[in-house]
Amino acid sequence: MKTRYSFGGDEHIFVEVDEEMSLDAFFKSLSMTNAVRESQIRGVTEVCPANASFQVKFDPDVIHPDDMLKEIQSLEAAAEKADSVIKTRIVEIPVYYQDPWTHETLMRFRERHQDPNSTDIEYAASINGYGSVDDFIKAHSGSPWFVSMVGFVAGLPFLYQMVDRPRQIEVPKYLRPRTDTPKLTVGYGGCFSCIYSVRGAGGYQMFGVTPMPIYDPQQEISYLREFMCFFNPGDIVKWKPINRDEYDAAVEDVDAGRFMPRMADVTFDLEKFNADNDGYNAKLEEALNGH
């Protein structure tokens, strides 16, 4: 992987670890951002990680941009050799696929879509070679997903499918963004799935909704009282398809303060995952199921 460094005005350095997203690129980016924080480089005011890149904001009155660049570059070699093992968690996220709310929304914006004669999930199934929407849902929910970044909108996770590249789902964004997306929509754009933490504009394909809030600035929801954003980079997600009755019951539990996401603490080892994707995923799911 060839790392590319560029300046963003006088106060930012953007570091692109790789042009393509991969877990290897994510882990190198993670190692470098951790190293920047731990090194306590003079003048650094903020470190902002992304999927396979990161940005460092600094005070040019404290450190010259060229000196900041040298400081960050000096950390790259060690980051490449860093141990690709992290302590994290796997979380089950219920999804009501083909729900009525995203369906109503996507039908309002068909003129902005690649295929106005199909739904978003029908289009995604077709271009990825699946014989039916049910087959597509099985593929989308069948393997875990890695949270590579949280942001763009507060609390919104970007999720990367944990399968070998030939099996990764790829779906382009809308031709023109929508002006509306229901809150908690499970979306898809490029190689990333996401959950819209709030209602708003968006361009990702809409597959369904989750009843599980992931962002609560008031911190009133039972599992969001300590921190308003649920996800962290490095979290692992397993989608669980649910029907309308299960969705309604989960919403009722959230409102009553009874809902608690199913999750388990795990250690993720990138080398072991790369050696056997499916076998390693099965062990992660065993941890979630308490085996």
Side-chain angles (χ1 to χ4, degrees), residues 6 13 45 63 67 71 77 125 130 135 139 153 160 162 166 173 183 193 206 211 224 228 231 243 253 277:
S6 55
I13 292 179
T45 58
I63 182 170
D67 293 329
E71 291 276 7
Y130 292 98
D135 289 340
V153 175
Y160 183 75
M162 293 169 60
K173 295 187 286 187
K183 180 182 177 180
S193 202
M206 295 181 289
L224 290 173
M228 66 181 68
F231 286 108
N243 58 31
D253 286 344
N277 295 168

Side-chain angles (χ1 to χ4, degrees), residues 22 41 57 76 94 110 127 137 142 158 215 223 236 272 287:
S22 68
I41 302 170
K57 184 179 181 181
E76 183 177 353
R110 292 329 281 166
I127 66 171
I137 291 172
F158 288 80
Y215 172 62
Y223 55 88
I236 297 169
K272 291 181 179 179

Side-chain angles (χ1 to χ4, degrees), residues 168-188:
Q168 285 181 342
I169 297 167
E170 291 189 31
V171 191
K173 295 187 286 187
Y174 274 45
L175 297 175
R176 290 186 294 128
R178 299 176 303 274
T179 55
D180 190 23
T181 308
K183 180 182 177 180
L184 298 178
T185 290
V186 175
Y188 211 104

Side-chain angles (χ1 to χ4, degrees), residues 11 138 153 196 212 238:
E11 298 180 337
K138 288 177 183 176
V153 175
Y196 282 76
M212 176 185 154
K238 185 67 171 62

Side-chain angles (χ1 to χ4, degrees), residues 61-241:
D61 291 330
V62 175
I63 182 170
H64 191 278
D66 290 337
D67 293 329
M68 176 58 69
L69 176 62
K70 290 175 184 176
E71 291 276 7
I72 298 173
Q73 287 175 324
S74 70
L75 303 172
E76 183 177 353
E80 289 179 335
K81 299 174 184 175
D83 189 17
S84 298
V85 177
I86 59 171
K87 291 188 180 299
T88 184
R89 60 182 175 171
I90 182 169
V91 185
E92 183 180 81
I93 305 294
V95 184
Y96 178 20
Y97 289 94
Q98 296 183 285
D99 67 282
W101 307 286
T102 60
H103 181 79
E104 185 276 330
T105 303
L106 67 88
M107 294 306 293
R108 283 194 281 122
F109 293 95
R110 292 329 281 166
E111 81 283 356
R112 306 184 183 210
H113 196 272
Q114 291 86 347
D115 186 355
N117 297 315
S118 72
T119 65
D120 291 9
I121 201 166
E122 288 170 346
Y123 170 70
S126 175
I127 66 171
N128 281 278
Y130 292 98
S132 68
V133 167
D134 285 345
D135 289 340
F136 179 82
I137 291 172
K138 288 177 183 176
H140 186 265
S141 62
S143 299
W145 295 70
F146 197 92
V147 177
S148 57
M149 172 183 165
V150 179
F152 184 71
V153 175
L156 184 151
F158 288 80
L159 302 112
Y160 183 75
Q161 194 177 17
M162 293 169 60
V163 294
D164 56 304
R165 196 169 290 275
R167 287 186 289 162
Q168 285 181 342
I169 297 167
E170 291 189 31
V171 191
K173 295 187 286 187
Y174 274 45
L175 297 175
R176 290 186 294 128
R178 299 176 303 274
T179 55
D180 190 23
T181 308
K183 180 182 177 180
L184 298 178
T185 290
V186 175
Y188 211 104
C191 68
F192 291 102
S193 202
C194 79
I195 303 173
Y196 282 76
S197 53
V198 297
R199 183 179 181 182
Y204 276 28
Q205 308 285 337
M206 295 181 289
F207 295 163
V209 294
T210 177
M212 176 185 154
I214 60 170
Y215 172 62
D216 179 19
Q218 283 75 43
Q219 296 179 255
E220 295 172 347
I221 293 171
S222 57
Y223 55 88
L224 290 173
R225 285 177 184 149
E226 291 186 10
F227 194 65
M228 66 181 68
C229 297
F230 180 76
F231 286 108
N232 296 299
D235 281 347
I236 297 169
V237 166
K238 185 67 171 62
W239 306 115
K240 179 189 178 183

